Amino acid sequence: MKRIAICTGGGDCPGLNATIRSVVKSARGTHGWQVFGVIESINGLLSMPPRCRELGLQDVTSILTLGGTIISTSNTGSPFSDAERTQQSIKVLKDNFRNLGLDALIVVGGEGTQSIAALLGEAGVPIIGIPKTIDRDLPGSDETIGFHTAVDVAADAAVRLQTTAESHDRIMILEVMGRHTGYIALHAGLAGAANVILIPEIPFSYDAVIKKIMERKALGRCFSLIVVAEGAYEQGHSPAYQVSVEGRELLGGISSSLSTRLYEATGIQTRVTVLGHTQRGGSPSVYDRNIATAFGCRAVELIKAKRYGRMVVMQQGEIRDIELSSAAEGKFAYVDINNNPYLKSAEAIGTCLGRNLNFSTEDN
Ligand code: F6P
């Protein structure tokens, strides 16, 4: 009988509990293995004694649709921040691993967590990664757990803001998450009928945005809806940061500069909504529940086949696995501004992407 552990790292998102349930049901229920949940990400395996608890089938009953993570998570204070701490952390983790009699560890996380997992894999820890992040910015996977729910929440907010935009003849600005990528803004903006979508991959021109708003006004549509990614920024400038927390710079604030500039330029009343963590909370969408379940089962299959150092991914509609080392810190998957079909469709239906007519992609 194998003994395996699972941890969830980085920011929480909808679908983490669905993943834990899938792993427990297939590993424990189907194969009869013992499963341990590591508390507070990999940190639980760096404490002496380790912080983890056995997860039985009863522990995962009714958690498929539950938001957050029953084994908690962390996205601050990495114990792998420098070479010395990394060596110490690897040693402690390996000791704990041996003392707990573990055969493998499943790590559910985004870019930061998966790069730590890759490092542990290289140090000889039998490890499997499962990609999650609402930002959908992990290279190698077309889907990440949590993204679709975040888009649903943001698209719903966009549709609700249309009401006030139209009733009051206002510019309504919705700022969404996504770090340095624009997937949430693009998908939610398209589904929420935004007139302007601004993403970090296309530094925007105020002229282009103002032109769009004034064209609409000339047609008798004195309202506009703008969906802006938190990482979007004006051409020639840098992204806006709201605070720095324990060494992490948190993006935010672009919507308020947009609001001021657009009101000054158009004279149209402008209001801002920053959606924030509502995008990460609550029940996972049907899509996220199902990929979480499929990813969890694949991770267990990989352990059964002793194929360690792999990350489960979705590619072209198929569940596959790739080298965990392809997830390296600071490597992101960006919206392809030349070939993304949703971006092309948005422009084809007249949505302003903040591109200046004279703006070439080389300037990006
Ligand atoms: O990576 C997920 C994410 O929600 C980003 O979209 C956002 O920039 C960041 O995390 C917020 O982090 P925190 O939860 O620490 O405020």
Side-chain angles (χ1 to χ4, degrees):
M1 183 173 79
K2 284 192 190 294
R3 285 160 73 91
I4 67 167
I6 179 168
C7 69
T8 51
D12 69 338
C13 73
L16 293 177
N17 285 326
T19 315
I20 296 167
R21 170 183 177 268
S22 165
V23 166
V24 171
K25 281 178 87 77
S26 67
R28 174 85 221 172
T30 305
H31 300 301
W33 303 349
Q34 263 183 306
V35 183
F36 295 86
V38 180
I39 308 302
E40 200 205 321
S41 186
I42 286 167
N43 295 342
L45 280 179
L46 299 176
S47 313
M48 284 289 196
R51 288 174 292 138
C52 58
R53 66 179 171 105
E54 188 169 354
L55 296 173
L57 291 173
Q58 68 286 357
D59 295 303
V60 297
T61 302
S62 307
I63 68 165
L64 175 62
T65 57
L66 188 67
T69 160
I70 58 166
I71 50 178
S72 80
T73 187
S74 166
N75 66 357
T76 46
S78 170
F80 297 87
S81 53
D82 59 62
E84 196 180 325
R85 284 189 82 192
T86 297
Q87 287 318 311
Q88 278 169 5
S89 300
I90 291 174
K91 186 182 175 312
V92 175
L93 188 134
K94 280 184 160 178
D95 286 348
N96 277 331
F97 209 82
R98 211 174 11 257
N99 295 339
L100 287 164
L102 293 176
D103 294 290
L105 172 65
I106 297 174
V107 173
V108 190
E111 164 258 344
T113 312
Q114 295 305 350
S115 43
I116 293 173
L119 199 138
L120 293 172
E122 276 158 27
V125 178
I127 206 158
I128 302 291
I130 295 182
K132 74 85 220 175
T133 162
I134 62 163
D135 308 328
R136 196 189 189 250
D137 59 359
L138 258 183
S141 190
D142 298 341
E143 302 290 354
T144 55
I145 296 165
F147 169 69
H148 283 269
T149 312
V151 169
D152 286 350
V153 171
D156 180 61
V159 170
R160 287 171 191 278
L161 292 174
Q162 284 280 9
T163 313
T164 306
E166 204 162 343
S167 307
H168 286 263
D169 280 344
R170 282 180 181 166
I171 299 170
M172 300 299 282
I173 303 175
L174 175 65
E175 180 177 315
V176 300
M177 284 185 166
R179 283 211 286 186
H180 297 291
T181 61
Y183 292 102
I184 298 177
L186 174 60
H187 285 248
L190 199 56
N195 310 108
V196 179
I197 300 174
L198 303 176
I199 61 173
E201 291 86 346
I202 304 177
F204 65 87
S205 137
Y206 270 105
D207 288 348
V209 178
I210 293 162
K211 183 166 171 278
K212 174 72 181 175
I213 292 166
M214 296 316 276
E215 277 172 3
R216 287 177 52 74
K217 193 175 174 189
L219 292 168
R221 296 181 206 118
C222 297
F223 62 93
S224 290
L225 174 67
I226 301 178
V227 175
V228 57
E230 62 181 355
Y233 57 97
E234 185 189 358
Q235 287 170 27
H237 291 70
S238 322
Y241 287 93
Q242 44 166 331
V243 274
S244 169
V245 182
E246 294 182 25
R248 284 181 69 231
E249 302 280 342
L250 293 179
L251 287 157
I254 183 61
S255 51
S256 107
S257 333
L258 263 171
S259 167
T260 310
R261 281 282 287 275
L262 295 181
Y263 176 60
E264 280 167 8
T266 65
I268 301 173
Q269 285 275 317
T270 306
R271 295 289 188 275
V272 164
T273 302
V274 179
L275 209 49
H277 292 81
T278 58
Q279 293 157 98
R280 283 189 2 206
S283 187
S285 66
V286 167
Y287 192 87
D288 276 330
R289 278 174 232 167
N290 289 346
I291 56 165
T293 302
F295 280 6
C297 290
R298 178 59 163 250
V300 171
E301 278 171 25
L302 287 169
I303 294 173
K304 191 162 174 250
K306 296 195 173 143
R307 294 186 57 226
Y308 302 122
R310 311 291 296 168
M311 181 166 73
V312 179
V313 293
M314 171 82 87
Q315 288 176 343
Q316 294 163 347
E318 284 181 18
I319 309 283
R320 299 180 185 159
D321 53 89
I322 61 172
E323 283 286 329
L324 193 46
S325 55
S326 58
E329 194 167 354
K331 266 212 233 160
F332 298 104
Y334 293 98
V335 174
D336 179 344
I337 62 170
N338 296 313
N339 290 313
N340 184 291
Y342 299 102
L343 199 73
K344 280 188 179 172
S345 313
E347 225 158 25
I349 62 168
T351 312
C352 169
L353 299 176
R355 290 194 219 241
N356 188 320
L357 293 179
N358 302 321
F359 175 60
S360 81
T361 50
E362 276 77 45
D363 296 326
N364 188 3

